[in-house]
Amino acid sequence: MAIFRRSDPALFRSPIRFCPFTLESILEDQDFVLRIRSLIGSHFNHLGREWVLHEVLADEGVLVLSDPSNKAIIQENLFGEPSRKGPETVLIPLFGKVPDTLSEELLELLANKVGTDITH
């Protein structure tokens, strides 16, 4: 299990297993947010399907994945009423249930980037 200090440049080169940051410190660390945002448009395998990273909602602590196919579904508004057609989306939490950790879903997603061969 790797532990990184905030100033450690290895944070963005090594697989992240533990992140000793608070939500506030990560949101204030623009390098982390920019690094995650640089993956927008990348394709990932998740739940047995291919998805594209559509947006990083840093203030809410989630990534938005969307279906890259042309299939449209009826999307609901905040009240659960049908409002428009659009691609299916999935939200992935950035942070784990244990304080100062990244979510297992995020770690799994990053490990399953399409077109990445991690065999060293």
Side-chain angles (χ1 to χ4, degrees):
M1 181 178 300
I3 299 177
F4 298 99
R5 285 188 251 336
R6 181 172 217 167
S7 61
D8 191 347
L11 173 64
F12 301 110
R13 290 193 307 268
S14 302
I16 299 172
R17 296 285 178 220
F18 178 76
C19 185
F21 305 131
T22 62
L23 172 60
E24 292 79 21
S25 68
I26 288 179
L27 296 179
E28 290 172 5
D29 187 350
Q30 291 303 310
D31 290 337
F32 178 81
V33 174
L34 290 174
R35 182 73 174 163
I36 294 294
R37 284 201 169 123
S38 72
L39 296 173
I40 290 175
S42 298
H43 291 248
F44 297 89
N45 286 320
H46 180 64
L47 301 174
R49 293 175 43 195
E50 187 172 322
W51 299 84
V52 64
L53 179 56
H54 183 74
E55 183 60 77
V56 178
L57 303 176
D59 291 340
E60 297 178 25
V62 296
L63 302 178
V64 179
L65 302 179
S66 64
D67 184 350
S69 70
N70 290 329
K71 293 185 238 173
I73 64 166
I74 298 175
Q75 296 181 336
E76 298 176 345
N77 63 18
L78 293 174
F79 302 105
E81 301 164 341
S83 63
R84 67 184 183 118
K85 282 190 170 187
E88 182 178 359
T89 57
V90 175
L91 299 178
I92 303 291
L94 286 172
F95 308 104
K97 294 177 183 173
V98 176
D100 302 330
T101 61
L102 297 176
S103 74
E104 290 296 321
E105 295 92 340
L106 176 63
L107 295 174
E108 182 179 334
L109 184 76
L110 293 174
N112 289 304
K113 186 171 185 253
V114 173
T116 302
D117 184 18
I118 306 180
T119 57
H120 291 87

